[in-house]
Amino acid sequence: MEIPEYVRALERAGQLLAAAAEEAGADAKVPTCPGWQVRDLVRHTGMVHRWAAAFVAEGHTSYHPDGGLPDLDGAELFAWFREGHRHLVDTLAGAPADVQCWHFLPAPSPLTFWARRQAHETAVHRFDAESARGGTPSEIDRGFATDGIDELLRGMHARPKSRVRSAEPRVLRVRATDTDDAVWTVRLSQEPPVTERGAAAAAQADCEIAGPADRLYLSLWNRLPFPQVTGDASVAALWRENSAITWS
């Protein structure tokens, strides 16, 4: 995917998130984020949007702390979210391709990183907001979902902070059943997971998690049950129990 595609996905996801949050109301519980109400979800995502935009807009070349959660609620909170989301979209859309700033995953450029990361951050939290509202959630494009699986497996969980570890070496295969060349081999050990993509890299797996890309994407982010698990289910359970990514 290219930067403009990520920016369009981010724009759509943020608009849908805001609409679902407003419809659900700030007090509504978020089933996919136990312990959170909609106000917590909106405060968190809005804070992340402003934090991300600052790296690109202000050119921070080292880590810069976030601005904290706002003391806002109800209509004021939703308006604050929309304003920050708009600022992030406009910042990413208008930034020069060679902008230099801090980022935390390998990427072709810092701008590509931030556009990709914020598109997926917002898409997952859009699903959270729609789970609070109820009803049928918005569709996720198959190609976007496949890209998100790749970012999660080969990016987010390649970092030293990943808690997906196994005392004994194990191999997890992740396969999107509706997308060509969407197979990942995840090698688990006492070190951070090591993931390769492609059928050529596929090894004999202890466990396979498979399903349509959109459902697989949300299930690997612990928003839905795994579509299909074959082999040793304890490996899938290890992922479920240890893969949560929290803000820190």
Side-chain angles (χ1 to χ4, degrees), residues 211-231:
D214 57 346
R215 291 184 58 202
L216 199 57
Y217 172 61
L218 291 170
S219 71
L220 290 167
W221 274 102
N222 297 320
R223 263 52 183 196
L224 291 176
F226 294 129
Q228 179 184 349
V229 175
T230 55

Side-chain angles (χ1 to χ4, degrees), residues 12-27:
R12 175 178 180 269
Q15 291 170 348
L16 290 170
L17 190 161
E22 288 169 343
E23 189 174 347
D27 293 333

Side-chain angles (χ1 to χ4, degrees), residues 31-48:
T32 50
C33 299
W36 270 16
Q37 294 175 293
V38 164
R39 64 172 55 86
D40 302 305
L41 174 67
V42 174
R43 286 169 180 166
H44 165 78
T45 313
M47 173 271 290
V48 172

